[in-house]
């Protein structure tokens, strides 16, 4: 696969454009809170794409097979299954409402015809099985065709049921429910490369689960101080290494990342590596601590690097170098002068996610005004693109957007003062093998692909 870049970024030597493919979701001026997308995730093959929303629903899209009559439908996804994953609950002991909002979805590698995924809200993780049925049994002995039980005295002969074809049905059924292990809100789940265990992380603890065992988990990280008044940091994200089943990382609100090795000790209270960039004293401000909090950490597919996202930038770290990142990409540096108003409207606490492309040559993350950013690591080029319905004609090229910070504004630039902070792209996903990306903008899911597709 050619390295994937941004719009007009060289991709494996050939420049390409991102173009619009599809948008899913209603056009509403006032969006219902329940419809806001809260997570987006491709499965391992990229043929399925799952979204979770604040209403506790999971929607799975399946990729259309390309055919001769529609040669360009290769990057098209259509609804495959929709199900209610979580319901609102009430914790009577703490008098707390537990939201149904889906915080994360993680696919399991496919082992057979069915697909499995984990979804979590603040407290409960569920394992779902998504399977297809296109045949049904007919000719029961104990009941009629309409399902009513027959009188046993009227059964004089035994019938052999036969399978008849029927319209395809996709069923989602909950196979396991992993509950009651977290006191605080779950912010991450990550499936281990051994495909048998996974982790779940909240503000102060990380638990290790076996996929077959629901009634107990093993607490592997606990940063809760004996006296809660001494609490100085919380866990913000955690992830397993893609190939080494004993290695995991977790990031903190202090802008640090700890790498733990479960071989050295089962309780990972002592980390093996500690990644932190020393602060530049000249740029210190009241907001320094808030904006240095890491909102997402992701290993590269190769496992050699990891990427962290803080409020203003994305950093790429080499796992062999703890002292400083090997790359720092500014996402929206023009907001540094606006931190005061972003603090007042609470936007400064927004948690942006980030993702790698399939070959680790490019990274993507979101911004405000429905802008999202791409950084081509090889060419050291970057681009700002917009998810909007304005140019949503199929295969319409996305025009790079520019933000001007002062002085004269060129005609295709947008002033930093007219950015819409209610339109934010927090969740994005990149197809594991191709240049197809999914971007969640409030209640809409945009899918873009490269022009070559």
């Amino acid at each position: 696969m050619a390295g994937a870049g941004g719009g007009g970024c060289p991709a494996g030597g050939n420049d390409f454009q991102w173009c619009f493919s599809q948008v899913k979701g209603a056009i509403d001026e006032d969006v219902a809170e329940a419809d806001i997308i809260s997570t987006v995730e491709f499965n391992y093959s990229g043929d399925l794409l799952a979204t979770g929303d604040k209403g506790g629903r999971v929607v799975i899209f399946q990729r259309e097979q390309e055919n001769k009559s529609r040669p360009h439908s290769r990057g098209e996804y259509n609804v495959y299954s929709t199900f209610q994953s979580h319901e609102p609950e009430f914790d009577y002991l703490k008098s707390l409402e537990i939201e149904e909002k889906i915080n994360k979805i993680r696919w399991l590698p496919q082992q057979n015809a069915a697909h499995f995924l984990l979804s979590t809200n603040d407290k409960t993780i569920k394992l779902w099985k998504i399977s297809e049925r296109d045949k049904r049994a007919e000719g029961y002995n104990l009941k009629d065709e309409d399902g009513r039980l027959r009188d046993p005295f009227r059964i004089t002969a035994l019938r052999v049921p036969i399978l008849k074809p029927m319209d395809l049905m996709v069923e989602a059924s909950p196979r396991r429910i992993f509950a009651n292990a977290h006191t605080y809100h779950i912010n991450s789940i990550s499936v281990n490369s051994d495909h048998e265990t996974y982790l779940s992380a909240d503000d102060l603890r990380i638990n290790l689960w076996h996929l077959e065992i629901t009634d107990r988990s093993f607490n592997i990280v606990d940063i809760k101080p004996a006296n809660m008044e001494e609490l100085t940091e919380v866990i913000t994200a955690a992830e397993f290494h893609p190939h080494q089943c004993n290695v995991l990382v977790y990031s903190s609100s202090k802008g640090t990342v700890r790498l733990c090795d479960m071989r050295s000790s089962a309780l990972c209270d002592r980390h093996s590596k500690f990644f932190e960039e020393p602060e530049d004293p000249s740029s210190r401000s009241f907001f320094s601590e808030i904006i240095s909090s890491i909102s997402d950490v992701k290993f590269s597919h190769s496992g050699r690097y990891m990427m962290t996202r803080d409020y203003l930038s994305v950093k790429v770290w080499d796992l062999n170098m703890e002292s400083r990142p090997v790359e720092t990409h500014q996402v929206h540096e023009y907001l540094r002068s606006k931190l005061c108003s972003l603090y007042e409207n609470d936007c400064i606490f927004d948690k942006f996610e980030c993702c790698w492309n399939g070959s680790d040559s490019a990274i993507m993350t979101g911004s405000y005004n429905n802008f999202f950013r791409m950084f081509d690591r090889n060419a050291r080029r970057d681009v700002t693109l917009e998810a909007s319905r304005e140019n949503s004609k199929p295969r319409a090229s996305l025009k790079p957007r520019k933000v001007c910070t002062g002085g004269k504004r060129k005609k295709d630039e947008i002033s930093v003062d007219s950015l819409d902070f209610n339109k934010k792209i927090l969740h994005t996903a990149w197809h594991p093998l191709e240049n197809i990306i999914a971007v969640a903008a409030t209640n809409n899911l945009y899918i873009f692909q490269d022009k070559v597709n």
Side-chain angles (χ1 to χ4, degrees), residues 196-208:
E196 288 184 3
T197 56
Y198 74 92
L199 67 76
S200 59
D202 67 23
D203 291 348
L204 298 180
R205 296 194 177 102
I206 300 177
N207 292 333
L208 180 68

Side-chain angles (χ1 to χ4, degrees), residues 173-280:
S173 50
R175 300 314 299 256
R176 310 252 187 294
I177 294 177
F178 307 87
N180 308 324
H182 286 277
T183 314
Y184 307 97
H185 294 346
I186 298 171
N187 56 43
S188 307
I189 45 177
S190 176
V191 180
N192 199 345
S193 57
D194 63 11
H195 304 165
E196 288 184 3
T197 56
Y198 74 92
L199 67 76
S200 59
D202 67 23
D203 291 348
L204 298 180
R205 296 194 177 102
I206 300 177
N207 292 333
L208 180 68
W209 299 84
H210 193 286
L211 282 161
E212 301 290 328
I213 301 167
T214 58
D215 57 356
R216 63 182 182 275
S217 62
F218 190 74
N219 178 227
I220 50 174
V221 174
D222 187 348
I223 65 165
K224 185 179 180 181
N227 177 4
M228 280 296 270
E229 285 172 9
E230 292 165 13
L231 183 68
T232 57
E233 63 179 333
V234 293
I235 297 168
T236 54
E239 191 179 54
F240 267 121
H241 190 281
H243 315 303
Q244 297 167 16
C245 61
N246 50 289
V247 173
L248 64 120
V249 291
Y250 67 92
S251 59
S252 92
S253 55
K254 277 197 160 173
T256 63
V257 177
R258 290 172 175 83
L259 181 137
C260 301
D261 189 334
M262 293 191 290
R263 289 177 307 188
S264 57
S265 88
L267 193 61
C268 301
D269 283 355
R270 286 194 301 279
H271 47 266
S272 357
K273 291 189 178 182
F274 183 73
F275 300 86
E276 181 178 31
E277 185 168 31
E279 191 188 20
D280 176 8

Side-chain angles (χ1 to χ4, degrees), residues 294-314:
I294 292 174
S295 53
D296 197 16
V297 58
K298 290 268 175 40
F299 278 108
S300 63
H301 294 83
S302 68
R304 163 92 192 261
Y305 300 97
M306 67 176 174
M307 154 170 66
T308 58
R309 169 74 209 256
D310 56 42
Y311 191 63
L312 293 178
S313 63
V314 174

